[in-house]
Amino acid sequence: MTPTATDASTKTSLTGIKPTDTPHLGNYLGAIRPALKLSEQFKSYYFIADYHAITTLRDPVALQQNVYDVAATWLACGLDPERTVFFRQSDVLEVFELAWILSCLVATGQLERGHAYKDALAKGDAAPNAGIFYYPVLMAADILLYDTDVVPVGKDQKQHIEVCRDLAVRFNHVYGDGVLVVPEAHISEDAPLVPGLDGEKMSKSRGNSIPLFASAKELRKVVMKITTGSETLEEPKVAEGTTVYELTKQLTPSIADDMKRKLEAGNYGWGHAKQDFFEALDAELGPKRDVYTAFRSDEEKLDRVLADGAERARSLARATMARVREAIGIARPIDDLRRTVSLKRSDIPM
Ligand code: TRP
C-alpha cells in the first residue's frame, strides 16, 4: 500500500482552561485566539478544567461564575460548539478512573519535581494539598482520555505535557503498544508574553490586566492607563519594547507597523498611540462583546452547550477506557457491555 501523509484534519487538538478567573486580554492573545485557530485544522476537544481549579479556588459561587464566564468568553471569541467538543471536565467521570491508573505508573519523585508543587512550597505553603501534587496526573488523564495528538498550551505547561508523554509511553511499554496516543505540546517558543498595563506579564492577580468585554468607554479608560515614556509630543520615539507597541503588535501587526513609523517620525504622542491601540482593540472585541453579553445572560443555554459537548466527549472517553481496562486486565467483556448499553445484571443471560 502507498503510504499516505497524515491528514491533519484527523488529528486531535485538546486543551483545558482552568476557571480560576474571568479571562482577560492576555488569555485571549496567548491562549484563546491561537487555540481557536488550531481548531480550524484539527478535530478539537476544549474543556473547562473545573476539577483542576479546586486545588486553589474554594469559593463555590466564584467557581460556578467563572465556569460560565469562561464558557461565554470562548463562544463569543468564535468557538463553534458543533465543530469543537466543548465541555466541563467534571462531566466526564472516566477521567478519574484513568488518573488513578496513571498514578500507579508515576514515581512520586517525578511529581515532587512538578512546578506547581514546587512553587507552592517556595511560596511558603509548608503543606501544599495533595491535589496540587497530583495535578499533573489528572492533567495527563485529561489529555490521554481523548486520544490527543497536540496540546496547545503556554510555556508554563511544558513540564505537565512532558509528564503526560512519559506516562503514555510508560503505559504502552507496560501494557501494550498503541493503547494510548502519545501527545505533543503545541507551544510557540517565541510567543512573547502579553504585557499588562505596567509592562509586566498580564495577570489578574497583579491588577494589570485589560478586560475583554468591558464597555468601549471603560476599555478606553483602562487602555489610557498603560505606562509609557514621558517624551514630548514632538520628539521621535522608540516603539520597540514599549508596552503599547508590543500589545498592538500582538493584536494586529499591520496597525503596529503604522504605529512604529509614526512614533519614530515624531509629532505623535503616547496618547495617540494608546488611542490607536484602543481603536484596534475595540474593533476586534466590539462585535464579540455583544455575543458575550448574550451568552453570559443565558446560563441555561451555556449549560445545554456544555452538556451536549460532554455527551460527545463521554463517548470517546468510554471507548478509550474500554481499551485501557482491557489492557490492564480489569475489564470483563460483560462489564463493558453493561457500561455501554446500561443493562442491569438481571438482563444479562448467564
Ligand atoms: N493546567 C492547565 C493550566 O493551568 C489547565 C489544564 C488542565 C490543561 N488540564 C489540561 C491544559 C489538559 C491542557 C490539557 O492552564
Side-chain angles (χ1 to χ4, degrees), residues 133-153:
F133 185 71
Y134 188 72
Y135 190 109
V137 179
L138 181 57
M139 183 158 157
D142 284 332
I143 298 169
L144 300 176
L145 194 55
Y146 303 102
D147 293 343
T148 304
D149 298 292
V150 294
V151 189
V153 280

Side-chain angles (χ1 to χ4, degrees), residues 3 64 74 127 138 152 157 162 307 318:
Q64 184 83 268
W74 281 71
L138 181 57
Q157 298 296 314
E162 279 311 311
R318 287 209 186 104

Side-chain angles (χ1 to χ4, degrees), residues 24-285:
H24 53 63
L25 183 66
N27 303 125
Y28 175 71
L29 295 175
I32 302 176
R33 202 170 63 172
L36 291 177
K37 187 103 200 100
L38 218 56
S39 73
E40 291 167 13
Q41 284 176 51
F42 290 86
K43 239 181 341 190
S44 44
Y45 283 74
Y46 294 165
F47 66 92
I48 304 178
D50 45 3
Y51 268 123
H52 274 108
I54 66 163
T55 56
T56 54
L57 179 63
R58 290 188 177 151
D59 175 344
V61 176
L63 178 60
Q64 184 83 268
Q65 295 301 309
N66 291 344
V67 168
Y68 289 126
D69 288 353
V70 167
T73 299
W74 281 71
L75 291 164
C77 291
L79 182 145
D80 172 0
E82 297 290 320
R83 204 187 160 96
T84 295
V85 179
F86 188 42
F87 61 103
R88 282 184 176 93
Q89 178 187 37
S90 56
D91 275 341
V92 187
L93 298 176
E94 280 79 359
V95 77
F96 299 108
E97 187 180 357
L98 184 56
W100 172 256
I101 296 165
L102 296 173
S103 75
C104 296
L105 289 169
V106 70
T108 51
Q110 188 167 13
L111 299 182
E112 272 160 14
R113 289 190 295 277
H115 286 325
Y117 179 66
K118 281 189 3 192
D119 283 357
L121 288 174
K123 276 190 198 137
D125 186 348
N129 67 67
I132 290 179
F133 185 71
Y134 188 72
Y135 190 109
V137 179
L138 181 57
M139 183 158 157
D142 284 332
I143 298 169
L144 300 176
L145 194 55
Y146 303 102
D147 293 343
T148 304
D149 298 292
V150 294
V151 189
V153 280
K155 276 182 242 185
D156 62 320
Q157 298 296 314
K158 201 170 166 172
Q159 190 194 38
H160 290 150
I161 310 295
E162 279 311 311
V163 173
C164 175
R165 286 170 54 85
D166 282 358
L167 276 168
V169 169
R170 182 142 347 122
F171 184 100
N172 289 345
H173 178 71
V174 173
Y175 292 117
D177 268 348
V179 180
L180 294 177
V181 175
V182 182
E184 253 167 61
H186 186 280
I187 299 171
S188 42
E189 286 297 340
D190 50 350
L193 283 183
V194 182
L197 300 173
D198 58 357
E200 299 294 321
K201 181 187 175 184
M202 191 182 293
S203 84
K204 193 78 177 264
S205 54
R206 266 195 83 85
N208 67 355
S209 63
I210 299 180
L212 275 177
F213 301 120
S215 67
K217 198 171 153 206
E218 263 174 83
L219 186 63
R220 186 169 182 283
K221 222 165 98 188
V222 175
V223 165
M224 290 302 156
K225 291 187 190 150
I226 295 173
T227 311
T228 63
S230 50
E231 298 97 320
T232 61
L233 173 71
E234 294 77 19
E235 276 177 85
K237 304 167 185 68
V238 178
E240 215 70 55
T242 66
T243 304
V244 61
Y245 171 71
E246 292 303 325
L247 282 170
T248 311
K249 194 161 82 177
Q250 293 190 38
L251 181 72
T252 323
S254 59
I255 295 180
D257 289 346
D258 235 37
M259 178 183 290
K260 186 171 181 207
R261 215 169 309 117
K262 292 195 266 182
L263 282 167
E264 284 169 358
N267 274 323
Y268 175 82
W270 290 117
H272 294 126
K274 289 197 259 190
Q275 177 66 26
D276 283 347
F277 171 59
F278 161 72
E279 281 169 22
L281 192 56
D282 193 49
E284 174 130 353
L285 297 180

